[in-house]
Amino acid sequence: MAKSSALNGKLVVLMGGSGFIGNYVAQAMLERGARVRIASRNPEKAFTLKPLANLGQLQFARCDATDRQSVERCIEGADAVVNLVGSFEGNLYKLMGESPGWMAEAAKAQGASAFVHVSAIAAEPDEDTEIEYAGAKKLGEERVMAAFPKATILRPSILFGKDDEFLNMFGGLIARLPVLPVFAPDSKLQLVYVDDVAEACARAAEDPAAHGGKTYELGGPEQLTMMEINRRIAAAQGRKRTFLPMPDPVSGAFAALPGTPMSSDQWKLLQQGNVVSGEFPGFAKLGIEPKPVGLFLDKWMVRYRKHGRFTDLMGA
């Protein structure tokens, strides 16, 4: 595959590449023979990728995405850049709004052929709801396109994977508690497999002539409510649980408390749902068939079952 890829031997810089999605994007690039530089505040988190790379194929750089000079140093010599930086904490407008613009300007100055910006469906914010995360994502897209007009914008829904912080958070709660509150029980999500999004990143970087200057919305093949997701996780664990739909005022008040597992921005995003709008092309235009969460859930929830793989689901 590497020999036929346009990325073979090219230097691809993954900004924020040591995180959850970065692990998968790096593997997709390495498989294509690209030289990969992972730029991150904590690049050592990606050291587990070393056995997957050939000698000299993988580089690590410490980067502060809020420091323009640091960003520019990490992008030196890049043939393609993929921005994966995202957070719900800190100065969001600088981290996800201004910084992507610096990255795009640096990529342009270096003569990079491709720039892939991983945004979020939330970048189309509800005009009636003020969400800092969504506003920052929208600003980031605008800055990127202004600096690198042939950039590719990818807007994924909520990502899931074996080591994610979404399914595993609910999996742990369901394993421990017999009764669980469900926030925004009727909100619809279009969970998207992280490996599919990583493949989208690679294909966009591989063929900027076909995908540059375009925005793609990436959602999985199913739209599930939060209540349905919780029930599916419980079934995959072989557990009978009572789920209590929570009124929005109660959920919102809980999210506003310090130290809770959900921020106010996350609650507002969950409340309005997270599905593709249909106004932009999706996986089909990238030649990818997205995988449903049900394809993996039974296998991934084995570790949360009472008796592991020996649990009798038929008798649950």
Side-chain angles (χ1 to χ4, degrees), residues 154-182:
L154 301 180
R155 294 177 176 175
S157 183
I158 295 175
L159 300 169
F160 75 87
K162 183 178 181 179
D163 49 346
D164 68 22
E165 294 182 355
F166 185 79
L167 294 180
N168 284 297
M169 178 182 71
F170 289 110
L173 291 171
I174 288 169
R176 294 194 304 270
L177 304 174
V179 180
L180 293 96
V182 178

Side-chain angles (χ1 to χ4, degrees), residues 160 167 191 221-222 224 232 291-298 300:
F160 75 87
L167 294 180
L191 302 183
E222 298 177 290
L224 302 171
R232 282 196 181 191
K291 301 172 187 64
V293 66
L295 192 62
F296 310 95
L297 201 55
D298 284 349
W300 292 346

Side-chain angles (χ1 to χ4, degrees), residues 2-307:
K3 292 182 180 179
S4 63
S5 173
L7 295 175
N8 188 27
K10 303 295 185 181
L11 176 59
V12 179
V13 178
L14 304 185
M15 301 299 291
S18 66
F20 169 55
I21 185 175
N23 180 284
Y24 293 85
V25 176
Q27 292 181 58
M29 298 299 183
L30 292 171
E31 289 171 359
R32 285 166 165 79
R35 293 180 293 123
V36 176
R37 179 185 296 156
I38 293 178
S40 167
R41 186 181 293 273
N42 299 297
E44 57 274 5
K45 290 182 178 180
F47 284 1
T48 53
L49 291 168
K50 288 182 178 181
L52 304 180
N54 293 323
L55 185 64
Q57 193 183 7
L58 189 59
Q59 307 172 11
F60 301 92
R62 196 170 302 281
C63 181
D64 179 357
T66 63
D67 183 319
R68 182 164 188 159
Q69 289 187 337
S70 179
V71 167
E72 292 173 346
R73 283 196 299 268
C74 289
I75 292 177
E76 288 181 3
D79 295 300
V81 177
V82 181
N83 177 32
L84 305 167
V85 175
S87 178
F88 281 96
E89 299 177 348
N91 187 336
L92 302 190
Y93 277 97
K94 189 167 189 178
L95 186 66
M96 299 188 299
E98 294 181 28
S99 183
W102 302 339
M103 297 176 197
E105 289 176 12
K108 189 74 172 179
Q110 292 295 317
S113 61
F115 190 98
V116 181
H117 178 65
V118 179
S119 183
I121 286 178
E124 285 289 351
D126 185 332
E127 294 182 358
D128 297 325
T129 306
E130 185 176 340
I131 304 176
E132 186 179 4
Y133 177 89
K137 282 290 189 181
K138 186 175 181 64
L139 177 62
E141 290 187 7
E142 293 170 351
R143 294 291 175 87
V144 165
M145 295 307 293
F148 203 112
K150 286 298 182 180
T152 304
I153 305 293
L154 301 180
R155 294 177 176 175
S157 183
I158 295 175
L159 300 169
F160 75 87
K162 183 178 181 179
D163 49 346
D164 68 22
E165 294 182 355
F166 185 79
L167 294 180
N168 284 297
M169 178 182 71
F170 289 110
L173 291 171
I174 288 169
R176 294 194 304 270
L177 304 174
V179 180
L180 293 96
V182 178
F183 295 169
D186 298 320
S187 291
K188 290 185 177 181
L189 307 181
Q190 204 162 345
L191 302 183
V192 59
Y193 185 36
V194 64
D195 220 10
D196 292 334
V197 175
E199 181 65 16
C201 289
R203 294 193 184 191
E206 205 169 32
D207 193 356
H211 306 299
K214 297 179 180 177
T215 295
Y216 294 86
E217 284 189 337
L218 307 178
E222 298 177 290
Q223 292 188 12
L224 302 171
T225 67
M226 278 302 299
M227 183 63 79
E228 288 171 330
I229 292 169
N230 277 272
R231 286 174 174 160
R232 282 196 181 191
I233 292 173
Q237 292 184 11
R239 297 181 185 277
K240 294 180 179 179
R241 292 293 185 253
T242 299
F243 296 107
L244 302 177
M246 300 300 292
D248 285 352
V250 175
S251 301
F254 174 81
L257 297 174
T260 59
M262 180 184 296
S263 69
S264 291
D265 268 10
Q266 287 172 306
W267 154 241
K268 291 174 185 176
L269 290 169
L270 177 63
Q271 185 183 33
Q272 68 182 33
N274 203 272
V275 299
V276 299
S277 67
E279 297 177 11
F280 300 90
F283 278 117
K285 290 296 184 181
L286 290 160
I288 299 170
E289 185 176 352
K291 301 172 187 64
V293 66
L295 192 62
F296 310 95
L297 201 55
D298 284 349
K299 182 178 181 180
W300 292 346
M301 287 297 122
V302 167
R303 58 178 162 161
Y304 294 106
R305 294 174 187 169
K306 185 175 181 179
H307 301 296

